[in-house]
Amino acid sequence: MTITAIYPGTFDPITNGHSDIVKRATKLFKHVIVAVAANSSKKPIFSVENRVEFAEIVLADIKNVSICSFDGLLVNFALESNAQVILRGLRAVSDFEYEFQLAGMNRTLNPKIETLFLTPATQYSYISSSLVREIAILGGQVDDFVHPYVKKAIENTLIRKRN
Ligand code: ADP
């Protein structure tokens, strides 16, 4: 195991699906960097500091993982971080088109960095950060989808937003 992989995303917030991908990756790579995108086009509800903090808490028990934020081009950040692999998760065919395009673009920008995909365990394959947020906003339970710390943070944020 000599390869460092970078797992980029918005992580707004980190879900059990993201964690499942990280756990699988840490068994395959020397080191995994979870890279939280500061300037995501998705307009996150949590600040980048919060999103990093959640990931740090959720992944605290895993040794060969580190969490950081980044802005700018992912391939540049991967290079600075000595990562040779970009890791992405594939849940369903619907993810494929966007991920395929992204991988192609990143390869054009830096042909030395490979994109690899991992799939989560079936029970996580329908989880997305946006669905989790939507369920919480509508008063549903998100216990099965996120870490208890994240659940609390979602509830607090939503209560603050409502008042
Ligand atoms: P981005 O804005 O970069 O898509 P996300 O936080 O939504 O950021 O997702 C980061 C990566 O994790 C993407 O490759 C996405 O497909 C993957 N991912 C998201 N949710 C899951 C899940 N439940 N299981 C596996 N992979 C997932």
Side-chain angles (χ1 to χ4, degrees):
M1 299 218 292
T2 55
I3 295 175
T4 293
I6 191 163
Y7 180 32
T10 309
F11 303 104
D12 186 40
I14 186 165
T15 68
N16 294 345
H18 292 125
S19 307
D20 185 73
I21 295 292
V22 173
K23 281 176 199 153
R24 286 170 199 283
T26 51
K27 289 183 196 139
L28 298 170
F29 299 104
K30 182 181 76 171
H31 189 71
V32 175
I33 302 167
V34 175
V36 180
N39 297 321
S40 170
S41 57
K42 289 185 176 173
K43 298 209 170 79
I45 63 159
F46 290 106
S47 69
V48 66
E49 291 81 14
N50 281 154
R51 287 180 280 136
V52 167
E53 181 207 348
F54 299 159
E56 278 170 351
I57 286 167
V58 170
L59 305 171
D61 291 341
I62 308 173
K63 276 199 201 108
N64 53 335
V65 68
S66 57
I67 329 291
C68 60
S69 63
F70 77 103
D71 49 23
L73 269 185
L74 173 65
V75 284
N76 291 349
F77 185 67
L79 213 61
E80 282 165 29
S81 313
N82 291 319
Q84 300 97 311
V85 163
I86 293 171
L87 192 67
R88 295 284 289 178
L90 274 182
R91 286 162 291 190
V93 179
S94 50
D95 280 339
F96 180 78
E97 203 166 316
Y98 174 67
E99 294 294 341
F100 185 78
Q101 192 181 13
L102 199 64
M105 188 53 83
N106 282 330
R107 174 174 281 161
T108 306
L109 293 171
N110 187 338
K112 288 190 186 139
I113 300 177
E114 293 292 347
T115 299
L116 296 181
F117 298 98
L118 289 176
T119 55
T122 325
Q123 70 265 34
Y124 304 124
S125 62
Y126 55 88
I127 303 176
S128 69
S129 301
S130 58
L131 261 185
V132 167
R133 292 194 309 267
E134 212 172 312
I135 291 164
I137 286 168
L138 297 172
Q141 292 299 316
V142 294
D143 306 59
D144 289 346
F145 315 132
V146 293
H147 186 279
Y149 186 88
V150 175
K151 181 199 163 182
K152 267 249 142 23
I154 294 177
E155 286 169 355
N156 291 342
T157 305
L158 294 178
I159 289 165
R160 219 183 319 122
K161 283 201 176 194
R162 267 195 222 123
N163 295 335

